[in-house]
Structure formats: structure tokens, C-alpha cells
Amino acid sequence: MFQKFCLITLAFVATAADAYPRESLLDPELPEYQVVEGVSGNLNSIGSDTLNNQLTRWAEAFRQLYPGVTIGIEGKGSATAPPALIESTAQIGPMSREMKGEEIDAFVARYGYPPTLIRVAIDALAIYVHKDNPLPSISLNQIDGAYSATLKRGGPPVSTWGDLGLAGDWERQPISLLGRNSASGTYGFFKDVALARGDFRSTVKEQPGSSSVVQGVAADLYAIGYSGIAYKTSGVRVLPVSDGGEAHEPTYEACLSGDYPLARFLFVYVNIPPDRELDILTREFLRFILSRQGQRIVEEIGYYPMPAEVVKEELNKIVK
């Protein structure tokens, strides 16, 4: 889905760079959010840890506009979003992957129609190493060799830093593998894309959250881990990644062009009956997320804002 979108947005990269200073990637055509009357009540969000900080910031800004609104946020993993939406314990289900077929089927079995997917931001799933690690880049085959027990990409197994080309004191040092747990959408995305749907090694140290992965890498000279680009700290380096050719940094341009192979959209799912409009509180929160103000917060957090053409498509899903 993301790669298909990339093919039609190359022109936007150039126009956005011309229209805005380099420090901002906001599309000049993003809509401004306008406050409306009658917005109050309670809104719950249950799902992705990757989007936890993002949802918190969106909620804080939204409540400044609507003091009568209370927003609860729980981020224990993307796998918790579908059951929360099915049981109506949340109106918002943030996910860092798309729903699986069986998750959609369970929703349809309850309501008779599928949930609505809303793209809310762009992320580069980053490969992190310690700040003092000299490895210049890594390929998807090498990532698979390190993390996978099944080696679906066909490369050799990777166990030491010497297997990745480092010499000297690094050569014999085993690689300490950090990753997410199976409730995480990041875990699922990494498994599908980097491991070509292969199985993880049993030696991967599963972490409870996105920041835990990065903190673990920063504390271990010989560690490697994967997490969202917004969780980068001064204690780690982000590796350029290749997919059989030149390695690319996880920049905005490389994500839009498809050159960075671990780019993805971040999503929220909502329950929109086909014969009724979305309730005003959920609708306005989503409109805020997709506005210039909301996408500016995306950029401030460290993810990448979406082009106006994508925002328009998503707005059409929630405003009838």
C-alpha cells in the first residue's frame, strides 16, 4: 500500500521543498482546522504503542480547543485496537500496521461492515545501533540473517558483527538482538517486510515498548534494534538500509520515493456505520489530526507529515 502511494507522490517532494523552508515538511495545501460548536464528552483511544506519544500530543492540543473533552489513551500494542473497537471500549484504534484478515472478519461479524482505516502519519521504521557502532549501513538480507530463524530472504545467518563486515575488536562480538513483542504492530510490520514473513530467532529480546528498544540499544554497545523514527535519541545511530542496491537514510524524501524499504503509514481505525455519520467528537478529533495543526504535531514528534492529497482522501472517509 505504501509503495503504491510512493509512485504518485514524487512530484510533491520537489514542490514541498520549494514551498517551505527545509526545517518544515508541511504541505502548503494542508487544511487549517476550524473550531466548531457542540464538541464535548469522553473519547478513548486503545492500541499502538508507536503512536502513544503522538496521540497524547494530539489530545493535549485538541483539549485546548475543547476544554469540555476528556481523552483517555492506552498504548499497549496494535493488537489491542481491534478488540477495543469491537467491544466499543474505544472510539479510536491506533495501529502501526493494517488489520489482519481475521481481525476485520471479527469486526464484520459483530457489526456487519468493516472498520474504517484512516492514515494519520508517515513513519520510517528505523534500524538502531549504539552511537559508537561503526557499521555504515545494512541490507534487508543482513537484517533477515540476524533476526530470522527461517531466512526467507535466502541470505546466510548473521550472528556476529564480523558477519556484517566489522573487523578488529568487533569481529567476534555476538550481536544482541532487540525487538518488540507480538502484540506490537511494529513487530508484525518488521516480520512481514524485513523477514519476508519468516520467523524470529528465539534469541531476540522482546521489549514492551518503542522507547524500550532504543534505550536498550543505547545501553549496549553490541546491540541492534528496530523502532519508529520518532524514538531516536543521542545514544543511538540510525543505519541506512538497502534492498539489493544503494542504502538510503530514512529521510522523508526516501520514504515518499520508496527508496527507504521500511517506510510505512501509521493508522487509526474507527467504527463508521455506512448509514450514519460519525459522532461529532470522534469526527472533529480526526479532522484535527488531519489538519495543518495536527500534521505539524506529527512533525514535532519526529514522524513525517502527510501530503495534502493523502489527507484529502482520508477526510473524505469521515466527512459525508
Side-chain angles (χ1 to χ4, degrees):
M1 181 178 178
F2 193 94
Q3 284 71 22
K4 180 179 179 181
F5 161 73
C6 292
L7 295 176
I8 62 171
T9 56
L10 293 177
F12 168 74
V13 176
T15 56
D18 292 340
Y20 269 85
R22 194 58 199 156
E23 62 268 18
S24 177
L25 297 167
L26 289 174
D27 188 329
E29 300 300 320
L30 286 170
E32 292 281 350
Y33 182 77
Q34 303 294 329
V35 174
V36 301
E37 295 183 355
V39 178
S40 63
N42 299 322
L43 184 70
N44 287 325
S45 169
I46 296 177
S48 169
D49 166 81
T50 298
L51 277 161
N52 213 29
N53 292 343
Q54 185 70 77
L55 261 298
T56 299
R57 286 284 303 279
W58 277 329
E60 290 170 351
F62 190 72
R63 288 192 68 247
Q64 290 179 0
L65 301 176
Y66 300 105
V69 169
T70 299
I71 301 178
I73 298 169
E74 181 181 297
K76 295 183 178 179
S78 293
T80 64
L85 289 174
I86 290 170
E87 299 302 324
S88 297
T89 55
Q91 298 101 310
I92 299 287
M95 299 186 70
S96 59
R97 61 164 173 83
E98 294 188 44
M99 276 195 192
K100 299 175 183 178
E102 58 266 30
E103 293 169 330
I104 295 175
D105 290 344
F107 188 97
V108 172
R110 177 67 178 269
Y111 292 103
Y113 54 86
T116 299
L117 174 153
I118 308 293
R119 294 173 288 181
V120 295
I122 295 170
D123 179 32
L125 184 59
I127 306 300
Y128 291 100
V129 294
H130 190 276
K131 64 181 178 62
D132 295 326
N133 187 313
L135 189 69
S137 64
I138 195 167
S139 69
L140 289 182
N141 277 359
Q142 289 172 324
I143 294 171
D144 184 54
Y147 274 92
S148 178
T150 48
L151 302 175
K152 289 288 187 72
R153 288 188 170 273
V158 172
S159 299
T160 68
W161 288 103
D163 292 335
L164 294 178
L166 296 187
D169 294 339
W170 287 85
E171 186 171 2
R172 297 180 182 274
Q173 293 293 337
I175 299 172
S176 177
L177 301 167
L178 301 184
R180 293 298 312 281
N181 56 42
S182 59
S184 162
T186 297
Y187 171 104
F189 177 85
F190 188 84
K191 176 182 173 72
D192 287 348
V193 179
L195 307 190
R197 299 187 178 181
D199 296 327
F200 281 92
R201 286 186 179 186
S202 61
T203 52
V204 179
K205 302 168 187 174
E206 295 187 352
Q207 304 298 303
S210 300
S211 60
S212 301
V213 173
V214 178
Q215 291 168 10
V217 173
D220 184 347
L221 184 63
Y222 303 110
I224 190 170
Y226 60 89
S227 189
I229 191 63
Y231 287 87
K232 184 178 184 297
T233 68
S234 59
V236 296
R237 287 180 51 237
V238 173
L239 293 179
V241 179
S242 66
D243 184 11
E246 179 184 353
H248 291 271
E249 299 272 0
T251 64
Y252 184 57
E253 290 82 359
C255 287
L256 287 183
S257 68
D259 289 332
Y260 185 72
L262 296 176
R264 60 179 177 172
F265 285 110
L266 300 176
F267 312 100
V268 299
Y269 279 85
V270 289
N271 183 347
I272 306 180
D275 57 344
R276 297 200 306 272
E277 292 189 354
L278 192 60
D279 68 275
I280 187 172
L281 175 53
T282 306
R283 183 195 73 199
E284 290 308 307
F285 187 57
L286 292 175
R287 285 187 61 237
F288 176 78
I289 287 172
L290 295 170
S291 70
R292 179 185 302 277
Q293 296 95 316
Q295 292 298 296
R296 183 177 292 115
I297 292 173
V298 169
E299 192 170 43
E300 291 170 356
I301 286 289
Y303 294 121
Y304 297 133
M306 299 195 302
E309 62 181 281
V310 177
V311 165
K312 183 178 180 180
E313 292 176 8
E314 305 314 290
L315 285 171
N316 286 338
K317 298 177 184 177
I318 61 176
V319 180
K320 297 182 180 180

